[in-house]
Amino acid sequence: MTNVTNEYEGYKLESIEILKKFGAKTWSKIKIENQMGISEGIILPRNKYAPDGMVEIKLKNGYNIGIPLDSTTKIEVISQEPKMEIKFDPITPAPNKNLPNLVLMGTGGTISSRLDYVTGGVIPAFQPAELFAAVPELADVCNLETEVVYQIFSENMKPKYWLDLAQSITKKVNNGVDGVIVAHGTDTLSHTASALSFLLKDLQTPVVCVGSQRSSDRPSSDAAMNLIHAASIAGKSDIAEVVVAMLGSSDHDYGFIHRGTRVRKMHSSARHAFRSIGTPPLGMIRESQISMFTTDYHKRPSPTVETYAAKKIEEKVGLIYAYPGMPHDLLDFFIDKNYKGLVIAGTGLGHIPYDLYPSLERAQEAKIPIVMTVQTLWGYTGMDVYENGREIQSYGVIPGQNMLPEVALTKLAWILGNYSNDQEIRTLISTNVAGEITKGEPINGYQIFQGVESHLVPEKHKTKSPKKKKK
Amino acid sequence: MNDLNYDELGLRIGIEIHQQLASQQKLFCHCPNQLQGTRAPDFEVLRKQRPVLGEEGKFDKGMLVEFLKKGSVVYEGYYDSTCTYELDETPPFSCNEECIDIVLEIAHLLHMNIVREMHVCRKNYVDGSVPGGFQRTMELGQNGHLLLKSGKEIGIENIFLEEDAARRSKTEGKTSYFRIDRLGIPLTEITTTPDIHDPYEAKEAAYRIGLLLRSTNKVKRVLGSTRQDINISIKHGERIEIKGVQKLDWIPALVDFECHRQLKLIEIKNILTKGSAKIAQLVNKPVDLTSLFQDTDCKFVKAGIKKGLKFTGMKIAGFKNIFGTEVFPNIRFGTEVAGKVKVLTGLKGLIHSDEDLVGKYQFSEAHIVETRKLLSIGEHDLFVLLLAKGQALETAIDVIIGRTKAAFKGVPEETRQAQEDGTHIFLRELGGEKRLYPDTDSPAIILSEERIERIKTVVGPYPWEVIDAYSKKHSIAPEIVEDLIMRGNLTLYDKLITILPDNPTLVIRTITDMVKVLHRDKKNTEQLKEHHFVVLITGVKNKEVAKEAMEPILEIWTRHPSLTLVKAKEQAGITSFDLSQLDDIVQGIIEKNLDLIKARGRGAMGPLMGDLMKAVGRGSIDGKILSSKLNQALAPHLPAKSVNKKKNKEKKDNKSPKSPKNGGKN
């Protein structure tokens, strides 16, 4: 996203040469003629990955089309139009004493971005006035201050950013806000939620991480609903944990409140992509009504205590996914590059191919803690069940129990950044700190409905309708 | 009302034809391009849609209007034939190539310039008919033309390829239900330039485009697969878009209605601008009259107040007699305003002082005098009364002010909905180009020179050329060929006529009339495929099937399409018959009935035929052969003169089938 005015934004050499010849540039209103006929429209900036030799125009009827530029092209510039930009009427509601004071920390992502209606590009800004203009209902739920912490796609988050974010949140919380909303891209929303769960200690207020799967430029966006849900949870709930609030179903109806260490994005695009794994969500919200499914969560402390953020984080931690035929080089790489810790998403109960065992031994010698998790996501490691599991353990690999692989990664980053004693590190990894390891998996912690259940009821169990007797 | 001189009016009509394509799959996902009819849906999903900020950072006008009507939307879908794409849960798959080729073919037929790089755009819809809130659409061609029967050439402005919206299945309170089987079905939209100056010409142009589309055999033909909108304007008027023109026959009435309406609205504008009324005097200053009217004799107002509604009055300065002015017989300006209020707020309507307040509503004179006083109604002012509360009331007031202000400009640009009686009502503000945004989910689609040229080679002749050629070659009425094209039966006809080259009449009767009869009898004629007709006509040719047996056999196939001809004949109760025995049987019947023949002479033919058909089995031999045999055998037993009727009868048999009605109406 560059602010430099580029007269040929996105166009390549061949196109620029022809446009220049006729004095045309982006936002010129032109009449263009070639073998295919005559068209009239305004030159738009072009996607920089699109092929050369075309000019993209917005026709009077609103459609965009691309027209070839070649030696036969004739262009007549009619006028130079102003750059089409989104302007909006900012709304700054007066503070309402009866509403909770919340802070919204923006990190980027779909929820804090909007479509550039002209070029189709994504605009990452989301200022409070703009937010209120788009979601005026927020003003009924809270007083909101916003802070743009990052403007990045969430795949570009880094452990260091998690730490910065935790520290910013701590400041706000200790300054007396009633709750925190973290607006985040959904790709790694759960990574950040779990990292914050470890990095923040003695939290006084809810920290609600929220994203959207459909950008707010679409009428069907989930952004407004998720934001309103997040604001209600941050302002009203008694939860003093890091949670994720996202739609619970494909319906624009209720949202789920997920624990930051048990949640995972399970669909690349659906609104209800976020699911609690191995345990039901903590609660739900429907039309600002919060219902908790459990009492087993941290409540807002009374009297308030000071919230702390961890001082450091270890960035040299890795996560690898086991697969058949996996070479040992992959593991060796982390050892050779002096990584401080590693998570393996193992097959089944927590296995990796035999070929990697010598490398495990090397890691053990190098005192690199390795946490084994399961790529099945549901269920626990069971590394005593088979002989190979026991052998893997003999090289010092720590069973991660039912910690999700990404959660084990953020936990390792936190532990290795703040603890140095080997034994302490091993103990912490195996101990539940923020709900990341549960004592057991309730039977409804693993449920995947696919709409075929009604066919699965055995015939004999189906209620028989009384037979009509014909006379 | 035929007092309109279209030329003097400066009438300009443009038409938009929306036609579903008959591709295998939908436009942006791999779901079948198939409606599920009345089949119950497998699941429902609830959604709430919001307007989004437009280019000006303001809510788009058209979308805002829809949002004012806000409610929830429920989408009904099927596990086996809809996917997460239709529900806006998965980004689009790549655009269906078959659909692009079909539209390219149509574009060639219309002599269009082909767009070399199509950009998928979003057209926003917040009426709920698209789960994503926008339709994906792209422009494929521009600047074409079409030759009308009269020899006039009209311009074809654009051709688009886009997705159809979901179909509304029901509305319950503020919840709209949409079935998503129709969503994503590929459509082509063809728009003409507004250089049609007469409604009959508009009708012909629409029909001709329809015929052209169907002649490709690549578009759907079922009811609802073609829809048209018309754009109308006159001198000093504005463009009005009329949606939902279900029948081409509606066009003249709709156009005439609009001409009258625009003329009157222009007249009202002239009265307003010349009179004492001022736009600035139209202000939002409602007065609460609830307590004044709580004991009124007007029953519905009294009941409404009791239910907690407010009775609100507002002054419309300078509008006396304007609301009462008819823009069309029985449709007053007040009706226009009320109609808009109704659509946008759900209120039943409004009361205004150009109406007979005492007679029609039973308001007391005292109340009216007091109302005039409270609203400070002057000599030229009008007042409006509304029974409503909350958001609906506020919106209604805004709408009334907006509409009365617009009266100073004459005709406001609107999208209107066609009604069966030839009128049309307000539907929404004209959205237009403001509703179009680039689709960030789809890459641009390049149409290569090779592809454009390749499609050119498959483009068939024009249907009017085909009609001409066929009617000459096969000596059949042009209307019949046209009907074959409209119904998509021309290819089948081509195939069958090679089997039975001497009898086009029978071939046509088989594939049109017989199928129509079966369809009317609620038989599943969808089951009848090309091979059935080929087998049947071959059977006729080889004299294995009598003409009388054709329909019964087809009927069997509608129920048991996999049966062979022999089995179908059996099922239809048609037995095979050895022709060599025929003479003996005829002779036997005559001998048995000599008394009858003596008594009734030629009149015995009927009963004898009955006996004969029974004896050989109905439909196993052509009735004509039977009657001729019987005639021959009967002749020696009759007085000589009565034999020549036969000739007449044959003549009658060879009469060409009636031209079907101008079928395939959209």
Side-chain angles (χ1 to χ4, degrees):
Chain A
M1 240 64 60
T2 167
N3 286 327
V4 182
T5 322
N6 184 344
E7 295 188 329
Y8 303 99
E9 202 179 328
Y11 287 93
K12 299 198 181 87
L13 286 176
E14 195 187 317
S15 306
I16 293 175
E17 197 177 311
I18 295 169
L19 290 175
K20 265 188 179 162
K21 195 168 92 185
F22 296 100
K25 49 194 178 189
T26 44
W27 311 114
S28 296
K29 188 175 187 181
I30 59 162
K31 194 180 215 177
I32 177 166
E33 188 183 347
N34 57 18
Q35 292 154 319
M36 274 75 75
I38 302 174
S39 302
E40 213 176 292
I42 295 170
I43 301 182
L44 297 173
R46 189 161 167 84
N47 183 302
K48 60 181 170 185
Y49 303 109
D52 198 2
M54 289 271 185
V55 62
E56 213 168 308
I57 64 169
K58 189 173 204 64
L59 300 167
K60 201 181 159 205
N61 66 11
Y63 281 85
N64 295 357
I65 61 168
I67 298 174
L69 291 172
D70 54 38
S71 55
T72 66
T73 309
K74 279 185 218 148
I75 298 174
E76 181 195 330
V77 177
I78 299 165
S79 58
Q80 187 64 28
E81 298 293 313
K83 182 178 176 176
M84 292 187 216
E85 271 178 313
I86 298 168
K87 294 171 211 125
F88 60 93
D89 295 334
I91 297 178
T92 316
N96 181 337
K97 262 194 288 181
N98 300 319
L99 293 179
N101 297 314
L102 305 181
V103 61
L104 181 131
M105 323 277 272
T107 67
T110 304
I111 194 153
S112 21
S113 63
R114 284 229 320 261
L115 179 77
D116 178 334
Y117 289 117
V118 187
T119 63
V122 171
I123 303 167
F126 218 155
Q127 299 303 323
E130 198 177 0
L131 203 63
F132 278 117
V135 193
E137 298 99 312
L138 275 178
D140 302 332
V141 182
C142 61
N143 299 311
L144 194 65
E145 79 177 273
T146 63
E147 185 177 323
V148 177
V149 189
Y150 296 106
Q151 290 193 354
I152 53 176
F153 291 120
S154 75
E155 67 270 28
N156 300 325
M157 284 296 281
K158 291 178 176 173
K160 190 186 167 314
Y161 300 170
W162 297 331
L163 188 69
D164 287 349
L165 188 59
Q167 288 168 351
S168 306
I169 291 170
T170 308
K171 261 183 229 157
K172 294 289 178 190
V173 168
N174 289 334
N175 279 342
V177 296
D178 298 311
V180 178
I181 304 168
V182 177
H184 200 287
T186 54
D187 277 20
T188 69
L189 175 65
S190 64
H191 297 69
T192 299
S194 70
L196 292 176
S197 302
F198 297 117
L199 295 169
L200 293 166
K201 197 169 174 287
D202 292 334
L203 203 50
Q204 303 168 29
T205 72
V207 172
V208 187
C209 301
V210 65
S212 81
Q213 289 279 82
R214 289 287 161 289
S215 51
S216 56
D217 53 76
R218 303 175 186 231
S220 63
S221 171
D222 53 342
M225 200 158 205
N226 282 337
L227 260 178
I228 296 165
H229 283 163
S232 293
I233 298 164
K236 290 202 316 192
S237 83
D238 63 346
I239 308 169
E241 284 192 31
V242 180
V243 295
V244 168
M246 293 287 284
L247 280 182
S249 73
S250 189
D251 299 317
H252 285 172
D253 184 11
Y254 59 87
F256 275 147
I257 306 170
H258 303 278
R259 176 164 276 149
T261 53
R262 294 269 12 134
V263 65
R264 199 167 189 280
K265 185 179 186 181
M266 298 301 286
H267 194 282
S268 61
S269 55
R271 288 163 176 74
H272 50 315
F274 284 82
R275 313 310 291 174
S276 281
I277 307 292
T279 172
L282 295 177
M284 65 176 281
I285 175 163
R286 176 184 262 142
E287 286 179 357
S288 84
Q289 195 64 45
I290 298 166
S291 327
M292 300 304 288
F293 301 143
T294 173
T295 53
D296 184 19
Y297 58 90
H298 285 284
K299 318 268 186 317
R300 292 184 193 249
S302 173
T304 52
V305 292
E306 186 148 352
T307 299
Y308 289 96
K311 296 274 182 301
K312 285 181 189 161
I313 195 158
E314 177 54 61
E315 300 209 39
K316 292 208 95 174
V317 285
L319 167 60
I320 52 174
Y321 199 92
Y323 59 90
M326 181 183 196
H328 61 81
D329 325 24
L330 287 179
L331 197 45
D332 292 338
F333 168 86
F334 289 94
I335 302 163
D336 297 341
K337 296 281 182 187
N338 288 318
Y339 271 69
K340 303 292 182 244
L342 189 64
V343 177
I344 299 174
T347 57
L349 290 161
H351 304 133
I352 49 165
Y354 178 79
D355 293 352
L356 277 78
Y357 290 1
S359 303
L360 289 178
E361 221 175 335
R362 277 192 61 203
Q364 189 179 27
E365 280 160 20
K367 298 203 169 165
I368 300 170
I370 294 182
V371 187
M372 181 63 77
T373 59
V374 293
Q375 49 185 246
T376 59
L377 305 178
W378 272 274
Y380 288 77
T381 48
M383 300 182 67
D384 296 317
V385 177
Y386 294 101
E387 195 64 22
N388 44 356
R390 295 179 190 208
E391 187 171 350
I392 292 168
Q393 284 190 76
S394 76
Y395 304 120
V397 173
I398 308 158
Q401 303 169 71
N402 71 336
M403 248 192 297
L404 294 166
E406 303 82 1
V407 174
L409 179 77
T410 62
K411 186 177 181 182
L412 206 52
W414 162 65
I415 293 173
L416 295 173
N418 297 282
Y419 299 88
S420 51
N421 178 296
D422 287 350
Q423 197 44 54
E424 203 176 5
I425 288 169
R426 293 185 73 86
T427 309
L428 266 173
I429 288 171
S430 310
T431 311
N432 175 40
V433 175
E436 75 280 13
I437 300 171
T438 63
K439 285 180 184 154
E441 185 182 59
I443 201 80
N444 62 351
Y446 175 67
Q447 275 183 348
I448 302 172
F449 293 119
Q450 297 193 315
V452 292
E453 291 71 24
S454 63
H455 301 289
L456 306 179
V457 182
E459 253 340 286
K460 57 181 178 182
H461 292 164
K462 281 186 183 163
T463 9
K464 280 176 191 161
S465 54
K467 276 182 189 165
K468 279 179 194 168
K469 277 181 190 170
K470 275 186 184 172
K471 276 182 184 174
Chain B
M1 303 297 295
N2 288 325
D3 51 345
L4 296 167
N5 182 332
Y6 302 121
D7 285 343
E8 272 177 26
L9 283 174
L11 174 65
R12 287 158 66 88
I13 307 172
I15 46 182
E16 295 173 15
I17 309 270
H18 301 259
Q19 170 69 59
Q20 288 179 346
L21 307 180
S23 59
Q24 290 297 308
Q25 299 176 349
K26 289 185 174 180
L27 189 57
F28 281 107
C29 69
H30 304 112
C31 287
N33 174 3
Q34 216 166 49
L35 291 176
Q36 301 297 318
T38 52
R39 181 184 159 201
D42 294 326
F43 63 85
E44 290 183 348
V45 170
L46 172 92
R47 294 283 169 77
K48 286 168 187 157
Q49 297 190 336
R50 305 170 61 84
V52 294
L53 292 173
E55 275 175 46
E56 312 295 328
K58 295 198 171 110
F59 291 125
D60 181 278
K61 210 166 151 199
M63 299 181 67
L64 188 61
V65 164
E66 299 295 344
F67 189 58
L68 292 174
K69 297 189 273 182
K70 78 176 163 188
S72 305
V73 190
V74 172
Y75 296 106
E76 305 168 328
Y78 302 93
Y79 290 132
D80 62 357
S81 54
T82 57
C83 70
T84 48
Y85 168 70
E86 281 105 322
L87 278 173
D88 187 43
E89 291 288 31
T90 292
F93 298 89
S94 55
C95 185
N96 185 283
E97 301 290 340
E98 185 190 1
C99 298
I100 296 175
D101 283 351
I102 295 173
V103 180
L104 262 177
E105 184 178 335
I106 297 166
H108 282 318
L109 282 168
L110 293 166
H111 309 281
M112 311 211 60
N113 294 329
I114 308 297
V115 168
R116 298 310 157 107
E117 189 182 78
M118 293 197 288
H119 286 255
V120 183
C121 293
R122 301 176 175 178
K123 190 184 265 182
N124 280 338
Y125 276 89
V126 200
D127 63 351
S129 62
V130 190
F134 56 80
Q135 171 196 40
R136 289 195 161 89
T137 172
M138 63 201 100
E139 182 169 317
L140 185 136
Q142 14 173 260
N143 303 332
H145 55 88
L146 171 79
L147 193 69
L148 297 185
K149 215 173 189 167
S150 62
K152 176 178 171 177
E153 209 173 78
I154 58 161
I156 303 293
E157 211 160 54
N158 292 113
I159 185 163
F160 306 100
L161 172 59
E162 58 193 27
E163 295 178 293
D164 206 343
R167 59 185 169 113
R168 191 183 285 269
S169 58
K170 61 182 172 187
T171 307
E172 281 175 4
K174 284 208 154 185
T175 306
S176 304
Y177 287 75
F178 287 95
R179 201 64 65 83
I180 59 172
D181 52 352
R182 202 180 75 182
L183 180 80
I185 284 184
L187 276 182
T188 183
E189 181 185 333
I190 295 166
T191 59
T192 74
T193 50
D195 43 36
I196 299 169
H197 305 295
D198 159 346
Y200 296 93
E201 195 173 272
K203 187 181 151 188
E204 198 222 320
Y207 179 75
R208 213 154 157 95
I209 294 173
L211 181 66
L212 189 72
L213 289 169
R214 290 183 177 206
S215 73
T216 64
N217 277 325
K218 286 164 190 159
V219 301
K220 295 204 176 199
R221 296 165 198 278
V222 292
L223 197 73
S225 60
T226 314
R227 302 190 291 269
Q228 47 263 320
D229 305 338
I230 49 181
N231 286 292
I232 307 174
S233 69
I234 60 171
K235 219 171 3 183
H236 309 300
E238 270 303 339
R239 182 166 78 95
I240 291 292
E241 182 184 34
I242 301 171
K243 291 225 168 264
V245 184
Q246 286 174 27
K247 289 183 182 153
L248 299 182
D249 291 334
W250 291 8
I251 293 177
L254 290 167
V255 171
D256 283 358
F257 173 73
E258 185 53 21
C259 290
H260 284 287
R261 199 183 72 98
Q262 296 210 8
L263 282 172
K264 275 290 174 189
L265 291 177
I266 295 165
E267 213 175 290
I268 288 173
K269 168 197 156 182
N270 292 336
I271 295 171
L272 286 171
T273 47
K274 280 177 197 148
S276 60
K278 296 273 177 297
I279 285 194
Q281 290 175 336
L282 296 169
V283 285
N284 188 343
K285 270 191 194 157
V287 175
D288 189 351
L289 304 170
T290 312
S291 54
L292 177 65
F293 280 85
Q294 59 186 346
D295 290 320
T296 174
D297 288 339
C298 178
K299 280 184 189 149
F300 77 89
V301 172
K302 193 173 173 179
I305 290 174
K306 214 168 184 182
K307 265 191 352 201
L309 297 177
K310 279 186 178 173
F311 199 51
T312 308
M314 61 190 287
K315 174 161 99 174
I316 313 288
F319 269 68
K320 185 176 166 59
N321 293 335
I322 298 285
F323 272 54
T325 304
E326 280 187 339
V327 293
F328 196 76
N330 294 319
I331 299 174
R332 285 163 298 279
F333 180 76
T335 323
E336 281 252 330
V337 182
K340 194 166 178 180
V341 168
K342 193 172 159 187
V343 169
L344 299 182
T345 65
L347 295 182
K348 282 200 181 120
L350 53 80
I351 301 168
H352 58 80
S353 56
D354 280 352
E355 292 180 285
D356 178 6
L357 296 176
V358 180
K360 189 170 169 191
Y361 296 103
Q362 280 88 46
F363 293 127
S364 70
E365 283 293 349
H367 278 169
I368 296 169
V369 169
E370 185 61 17
T371 301
R372 299 184 77 87
K373 206 173 108 191
L374 286 169
L375 293 168
S376 36
I377 299 298
E379 191 189 345
H380 302 292
D381 302 337
L382 172 121
F383 64 84
V384 167
L385 301 169
L386 289 163
L387 187 64
K389 65 173 180 183
Q391 185 62 48
L393 176 61
E394 281 173 40
T395 309
I397 292 168
D398 286 345
V399 169
I400 292 166
I401 292 176
R403 184 61 190 85
T404 44
K405 278 186 176 168
F408 284 85
K409 287 182 188 156
V411 186
E413 282 192 313
E414 285 169 358
T415 298
R416 299 175 64 90
Q417 175 75 41
Q419 305 291 296
E420 221 157 318
D421 63 2
T423 65
H424 42 81
I425 55 169
F426 174 83
L427 182 69
R428 60 168 183 255
E429 307 281 354
L430 204 61
E433 76 293 343
K434 282 280 166 68
R435 279 160 60 209
L436 274 163
Y437 309 110
D439 182 27
T440 44
D441 301 330
S442 320
I445 299 166
I446 304 224
L447 297 176
S448 68
E449 202 68 40
E450 294 74 46
R451 183 177 196 166
I452 295 169
E453 290 306 315
R454 174 169 57 78
I455 299 297
K456 245 181 206 163
T457 64
V458 304
V459 173
Y462 284 96
W464 28 96
E465 293 167 7
V466 173
I467 291 169
D468 207 36
Y470 271 65
S471 59
K472 275 188 191 132
K473 187 176 165 195
H474 301 282
S475 314
I476 39 179
E479 294 79 10
I480 292 172
V481 188
E482 195 170 314
D483 185 62
L484 287 174
I485 294 173
M486 286 305 258
R487 289 173 188 279
N489 280 335
L490 197 65
T491 328
L492 181 59
Y493 172 82
D494 282 343
K495 188 148 219 168
L496 300 180
I497 202 69
T498 57
I499 302 170
L500 207 60
D502 303 335
N503 203 344
T505 310
L506 181 65
V507 169
I508 290 166
R509 218 171 70 202
T510 310
I511 58 182
T512 57
D513 297 357
M514 288 185 197
V515 176
K516 262 188 240 172
V517 167
L518 291 171
H519 184 74
R520 200 169 50 219
D521 293 347
K522 306 254 182 296
K523 304 292 179 190
N524 186 5
T525 49
E526 293 278 299
Q527 295 286 4
L528 298 175
K529 307 289 182 219
E530 184 184 285
H531 69 266
H532 291 122
F533 293 102
V534 169
V535 167
L536 189 65
I537 293 289
T538 311
V540 170
K541 184 196 164 148
N542 299 338
K543 304 213 183 314
E544 293 156 10
V545 177
K547 267 186 256 168
E548 288 75 7
M550 294 173 81
E551 203 179 298
I553 292 171
L554 287 173
E555 192 278 329
I556 294 297
W557 276 332
T558 61
R559 290 182 283 136
H560 311 287
S562 57
L563 290 185
T564 59
L565 179 65
V566 175
K567 291 270 181 206
K569 265 171 80 177
E570 244 175 64
Q571 279 266 338
I574 296 156
T575 43
S576 293
F577 186 80
D578 185 357
L579 270 176
S580 62
Q581 296 175 15
L582 185 59
D583 288 341
D584 291 348
I585 292 178
V586 171
Q587 218 46 52
I589 287 175
I590 288 192
E591 274 158 30
K592 236 198 267 170
N593 291 287
L594 282 174
D595 287 348
L596 180 81
I597 297 166
K598 221 172 188 177
R600 295 176 57 182
R602 175 144 281 281
M605 239 338 243
L608 292 186
M609 255 314 262
D611 282 4
L612 182 56
M613 300 232 319
K614 209 182 278 172
V616 299
R618 204 189 127 71
S620 48
I621 301 180
D622 194 324
K624 227 157 73 184
I625 298 174
L626 289 184
S627 77
S628 122
K629 277 274 181 211
L630 193 59
N631 248 319
Q632 274 173 27
L634 200 58
H637 302 276
L638 295 173
K641 57 180 175 180
S642 60
V643 187
N644 56 5
K645 269 193 185 171
K646 188 182 153 196
K647 224 172 191 175
N648 288 337
K649 186 156 189 306
E650 257 186 10
K651 211 172 186 180
K652 203 170 159 196
D653 261 6
N654 276 347
K655 189 186 81 161
S656 47
K658 272 186 202 154
S659 330
K661 265 189 241 146
N662 222 352
K665 271 293 133 50
N666 307 314

